Amino acid sequence: MRQHLPRVAVPRFSTYLRCLDELGPGIEHISSDRLASLAGVSPAQLRKDLSYFGSYGVRGVGYRAGVLRDEIRRELGLTREWPWVLVGVGNLGRALAHYAGFAEQGFRLVGIFDIDPDKVGTMVAGQRVEPLESLARAVRARAARIAVIATPAEAAQGVANLLAESGIASILNFAPTILHVPDAVNVRRVDVSSELQVLAFFLHEAAVPAP
Amino acid sequence: MRQHLPRVAVPRFSTYLRCLDELGPGIEHISSDRLASLAGVSPAQLRKDLSYFGSYGVRGVGYRAGVLRDEIRRELGLTREWPWVLVGVGNLGRALAHYAGFAEQGFRLVGIFDIDPDKVGTMVAGQRVEPLESLARAVRARAARIAVIATPAEAAQGVANLLAESGIASILNFAPTILHVPDAVNVRRVDVSSELQVLAFFLHEAAVPAP
DNA sequence: CCTTGTGAAGTGGTTCACAGCT
DNA sequence: AGCTGTGAACCACTTCACAAGG
């Protein structure tokens, strides 16, 4: 089929990949029913998603797990390295810096930055924390295309401005605020408060059904 | 209009609320154009969203900021308290426990749990860390309906099982794994690896356009 | 005159149901 | 016989464009 992937399918592929990895190398073949149930989507959804890349299944049998994993990794662009920088070394920043899973996926942390002079120079996850003034230069010199912001809300927009000027392509924002950046910069937000509010809404809705 | 809210609109309301809060109490009225641009959505989208709750705007003028804020809070179910528990006291769990923003929104942390005996009994964010064995009883006794899992991937499903048995209604899962729970339990996932992969895909796609 | 509120049209994504292979 | 691959039908959400109203 080979037509372009719907935006919303991208995170699903990420999930499929994780499920395949969790299966381990022992599994040779897997059916759409089985993988879909692991991933929490419908079998039709899974087959449709996989069909965007072409036909990698075997009718009557299922998908070759190894082939499928490699194919998804190739299509998502995970066969190369993606250097990224981290800004903000609070508890959250530290957790992100230490998370080894990123490196396994090809995400290589090439710089950690903070505005606090007490933190600059300390070691986090084997790297020296650098001052914010070095950020723009480092992004360019180390060819980082992705930045993760884990600062307090008040600092986030300033950091985003610095990053935008330095030519960063993508920002993952953990600060609880909406960033305004040029169109060329792709922002994704992870907002824990918002996630809790969504859960609360569904509880609330179940208790107080709409009139 | 007063028809039911589309699922995907719920996180947007959370965003609108944040924007209104950031405006401060000085602003009396705000137009859909202005608020939409702050929130990063189209003005039509904003007006449509607000219309699901009824008519709270003034034609020719805009929305009364205070009224709107109260209305959104009421509709999202944020006028009451939501007790929640945290499981897992790594860097991420610690960051979550310390984040004061939750409490302001009515999310009251009523228990922190970990399986590691070295962590049990220590103080985190002013609370004593409790052993995993106390989890189910505490959830019931303290009427927690929401749980946040911030354990390693391997431990998450076991914790989810405990939580499901204890009658929890909603889980926010930070562990990089897919949880399988009864239908009665509502799970939302925050998967940082996946977010990075999505960003990588868009970069990859821009560099290697689909044939 | 300005800005909201909203049916109607448009878009994008999901599900269905079955043809096509092995 | 069993499971994939996919056009077609369906559904949910978004955008448009303009009527309604202070």
Side-chain angles (χ1 to χ4, degrees):
Chain A
M1 200 198 204
R2 209 89 217 18
Q3 73 186 47
H4 98 279
L5 205 61
R7 294 344 227 175
V8 287
V10 181
R12 286 200 298 268
F13 277 97
S14 181
T15 301
Y16 302 153
L17 198 52
R18 166 149 294 142
C19 293
L20 288 168
D21 286 340
E22 284 180 5
L23 278 177
I27 304 294
E28 191 89 14
H29 290 97
I30 185 157
S31 68
S32 62
D33 276 42
R34 176 92 196 289
L35 184 53
S37 123
L38 288 174
V41 304
S42 74
Q45 174 87 84
L46 174 67
R47 291 202 300 275
K48 179 65 97 178
D49 280 349
L50 296 182
S51 79
Y52 292 121
F53 292 161
S55 301
Y56 288 90
V58 184
R59 291 170 203 236
V61 177
Y63 299 89
R64 307 256 310 270
V67 173
L68 192 52
R69 221 202 49 227
D70 293 348
E71 188 50 28
I72 295 176
R73 285 180 48 77
R74 200 166 63 77
E75 293 283 351
L76 287 186
L78 299 176
T79 51
R80 51 158 286 185
E81 280 211 332
W82 294 102
W84 63 288
V85 295
L86 170 66
V87 187
V89 191
N91 277 309
L92 178 59
R94 237 176 279 271
L96 292 169
H98 281 102
Y99 181 45
F102 298 154
E104 284 163 26
Q105 307 286 346
F107 294 97
R108 194 159 56 86
L109 178 54
V110 297
I112 304 180
F113 302 83
D114 203 293
I115 202 172
D116 180 352
D118 289 349
K119 286 178 180 155
V120 171
T122 62
M123 298 299 284
V124 171
Q127 302 205 26
R128 193 180 144 275
V129 176
E130 302 169 66
L132 214 52
E133 298 82 58
S134 316
L135 178 59
R137 185 179 323 208
V139 163
R140 282 187 283 258
R142 299 167 205 173
R145 319 254 346 246
I146 300 176
V148 174
I149 298 183
T151 65
E154 314 78 63
Q157 184 61 58
V159 170
N161 296 347
L162 276 176
L163 288 166
E165 281 166 34
S166 76
I168 204 85
S170 302
I171 294 176
L172 184 54
N173 178 33
F174 283 85
T177 188
I178 313 300
L179 296 180
H180 299 270
V181 295
D183 288 349
V185 183
N186 191 0
V187 177
R188 284 180 76 87
R189 199 158 59 98
V190 175
D191 185 334
V192 185
S193 260
S194 176
E195 297 294 332
L196 283 179
Q197 289 179 1
V198 171
L199 289 175
F201 172 76
F202 291 133
L203 292 174
H204 174 69
E205 185 190 44
V208 185
Chain B
M1 198 197 204
R2 210 87 213 30
Q3 73 186 45
H4 99 282
L5 205 60
R7 293 344 227 175
V8 287
V10 181
R12 285 199 299 267
F13 277 98
S14 182
T15 301
Y16 303 153
L17 199 51
R18 166 150 295 142
C19 293
L20 288 167
D21 286 341
E22 284 180 3
L23 278 177
I27 304 294
E28 190 90 12
H29 290 97
I30 187 159
S31 68
S32 62
D33 276 44
R34 176 92 196 288
L35 184 53
S37 123
L38 287 174
V41 304
S42 73
Q45 173 87 85
L46 174 67
R47 290 202 300 275
K48 179 66 97 179
D49 280 350
L50 297 182
S51 79
Y52 292 121
F53 292 161
S55 301
Y56 287 90
V58 185
R59 292 172 204 233
V61 177
Y63 299 89
R64 306 257 310 271
V67 173
L68 192 53
R69 220 201 48 228
D70 293 348
E71 188 51 28
I72 295 176
R73 286 179 49 78
R74 199 167 63 77
E75 293 283 349
L76 287 186
L78 300 176
T79 51
R80 50 158 287 185
E81 279 211 333
W82 295 102
W84 63 287
V85 295
L86 171 66
V87 187
V89 190
N91 276 309
L92 177 60
R94 236 175 281 271
L96 292 169
H98 280 102
Y99 180 46
F102 299 154
E104 284 163 26
Q105 306 287 347
F107 294 97
R108 195 159 55 86
L109 177 55
V110 297
I112 304 180
F113 302 85
D114 202 295
I115 201 172
D116 180 352
D118 289 349
K119 286 177 179 156
V120 171
T122 61
M123 299 299 284
V124 170
Q127 303 206 25
R128 195 181 141 274
V129 177
E130 302 170 68
L132 214 52
E133 298 82 57
S134 316
L135 179 59
R137 185 179 325 205
V139 163
R140 281 187 284 260
R142 301 169 202 170
R145 317 254 345 248
I146 299 176
V148 175
I149 299 183
T151 65
E154 314 79 64
Q157 183 62 56
V159 170
N161 295 346
L162 276 176
L163 288 166
E165 282 166 34
S166 76
I168 204 85
S170 301
I171 294 177
L172 183 54
N173 177 33
F174 284 85
T177 189
I178 313 300
L179 297 180
H180 298 271
V181 295
D183 288 347
V185 182
N186 190 0
V187 177
R188 283 181 76 89
R189 198 158 58 100
V190 176
D191 185 335
V192 185
S193 261
S194 175
E195 296 295 331
L196 283 179
Q197 289 178 3
V198 172
L199 289 175
F201 171 76
F202 291 133
L203 292 175
H204 174 68
E205 185 190 44
V208 185

